[in-house]
Amino acid sequence: MPFTKIVVAGSTGALADHVLRAVLSSTEPKFDVTVLTRKGSNKVSSLPGAKLVPVDYSDHQALVQAVSGHDAIVSLVGGMAANPVDLALLKAAQAAGVRRIFTSEYTVDILHPAMVSLYSDEGWPEHWDTHLKKARRLAALTDAGSSTSYTTLMPSAFVDNWLAGVYGNFDPKGRKVTLIDGGDFPFTGCSLEFLAACIVAALQMPEEMTKDKRIQVSEVRTTMKEIVRVFEKVTGDSFTVDNITSKSLLEHRAGAFKDELFPMAAMYTHVVGAFNGQGAGDLQEGLKFDGGGFLTMKRKTIEELAVEAVDK
């Protein structure tokens, strides 16, 4: 049966905007939505169609009360805050009898050997709750016989944000691109709108199809060099191309470790993992994802996404 009575944790990020819009506009099924907001935050004062509940994620009993009676929790908490918050949500879900948690790990395949290697480097302090630790903790739920199961959707790159220049490698307005390792390695990605549609589809799929699963979802497969060609085609202009290597990015990461800037270190880790050609960011199986027939959104091409990025 579908998960229709859901809790959404995280309401202010770019992905949350798309997911909440998709969930709240759905009529088949109609979702009963409770949105958790951080207590004391005034970023979201109202959200038509949803019940807003301010919470302190460190208050276990308050979290248990907030999620009690729901079918599933969809975590959209961004950045490194997602790891401790997801753990708190999992504990609350287990105490409240919530059947499923959809974790906030919308990135490359953290359990791929290449990412395990990057996250096993000595720069990470023992106390730091990395994405790898969380992924392993969730994977252990199956063996532990937890009353709450999990689903992780892995989209690799947020390709529309990359194309629009949010992360710096692509600058369509300035007609510049910075390639990583020459830009020849293929990678996959999703636009935020497509990923939101995948989340809605996963909520509707039979529970056993998604129970304790790490599911690849992909909209496009491309390379950085192909993106340069596409940008030049849709704009009619030549782009300035610079290059940076994974080695230099990892040197920047070492500096972040030294300065104890661990969120920045995680950012460098994920960029290297996505684009270095070792496979963690090339999630080809995701191109077949159809949400068990519930995915209604058509995949856009890299050219269509590039046109949208240029027009922003």
Side-chain angles (χ1 to χ4, degrees):
M1 60 187 296
F3 301 105
T4 55
K5 193 168 185 181
I6 63 172
V7 171
V8 176
S11 58
T12 58
L15 177 57
D17 288 343
H18 287 276
V19 173
L20 287 170
R21 192 179 307 123
V23 167
L24 292 172
S25 64
S26 173
T27 57
E28 285 293 332
K30 179 69 175 175
F31 293 100
D32 180 339
V33 183
T34 296
V35 177
L36 304 185
T37 63
R38 286 188 182 273
K39 186 173 289 187
S41 172
N42 58 3
K43 290 184 178 180
V44 180
S45 58
S46 66
L47 198 60
K51 176 184 178 183
L52 298 186
V53 178
V55 296
D56 177 350
Y57 286 110
S58 65
D59 187 337
H60 174 69
Q61 290 304 323
L63 267 186
V64 172
Q65 183 176 353
V67 304
S68 182
H70 292 82
D71 301 326
I73 299 171
V74 178
S75 178
L76 304 174
V77 178
M80 297 304 293
N83 297 330
V85 168
D86 276 8
L87 177 58
L89 289 169
L90 172 61
K91 290 179 178 178
Q94 291 172 320
V98 178
R99 303 200 310 272
R100 182 70 53 86
I101 180 170
F102 290 76
T103 63
S104 187
E105 193 187 306
Y106 306 105
T107 182
V108 298
D109 182 0
I110 296 297
L111 294 182
H112 188 281
M115 289 302 295
V116 171
S117 176
L118 288 169
Y119 268 113
S120 298
D121 289 348
E122 294 180 357
W124 300 104
E126 185 64 31
H127 71 275
W128 193 256
D129 201 11
T130 66
H131 288 285
L132 177 61
K133 288 181 181 178
K134 182 178 75 173
R136 284 174 166 169
R137 186 183 297 122
L138 288 166
L141 291 181
T142 306
D143 294 333
S146 170
S147 60
T148 302
S149 55
Y150 75 92
T151 301
T152 298
L153 298 185
M154 302 177 292
S156 192
F158 289 173
V159 70
D160 52 342
N161 275 1
W162 280 101
L163 293 177
V166 172
Y167 307 119
N169 284 82
F170 302 103
D171 179 7
K173 301 298 184 185
R175 304 304 196 247
K176 295 186 294 185
V177 173
T178 299
L179 304 179
I180 297 175
D181 295 334
D184 290 314
F185 297 121
F187 64 92
T188 55
C190 291
S191 63
L192 295 176
E193 183 181 27
F194 183 79
L195 176 54
C198 291
I199 292 172
V200 172
L203 286 167
Q204 299 174 73
M205 293 169 67
E207 289 187 43
E208 289 302 316
M209 290 184 67
T210 59
K211 182 180 179 181
D212 295 334
K213 297 286 178 60
R214 298 173 57 79
I215 301 172
Q216 298 181 10
V217 293
S218 304
E219 186 173 12
V220 295
R221 184 173 189 250
T222 186
T223 67
M224 285 189 162
K225 274 190 176 177
E226 181 184 18
I227 290 171
V228 175
R229 292 193 293 269
V230 170
F231 268 142
E232 291 182 336
K233 176 182 176 182
V234 301
T235 64
D237 297 328
S238 295
F239 274 56
T240 300
V241 177
D242 293 323
N243 284 275
I244 192 169
T245 64
S246 292
K247 180 179 179 181
S248 64
L249 288 171
L250 292 177
E251 289 170 353
H252 287 305
R253 187 183 71 159
F257 281 144
K258 183 177 180 181
D259 295 333
E260 298 188 356
L261 300 174
F262 302 116
M264 184 175 292
M267 182 271 291
Y268 285 124
T269 301
H270 285 222
V271 170
V272 171
F275 300 114
N276 68 358
Q278 295 189 25
D282 189 17
L283 309 182
Q284 298 180 58
E285 191 65 27
L287 295 167
K288 304 174 186 177
F289 178 78
D290 68 353
F294 292 104
L295 179 62
T296 58
M297 181 169 289
K298 180 182 177 182
R299 287 171 168 83
K300 293 179 180 177
T301 66
I302 192 63
E303 184 168 328
E304 289 171 325
L305 292 169
V307 168
E308 291 179 1
V310 169
D311 289 343
K312 282 186 178 180

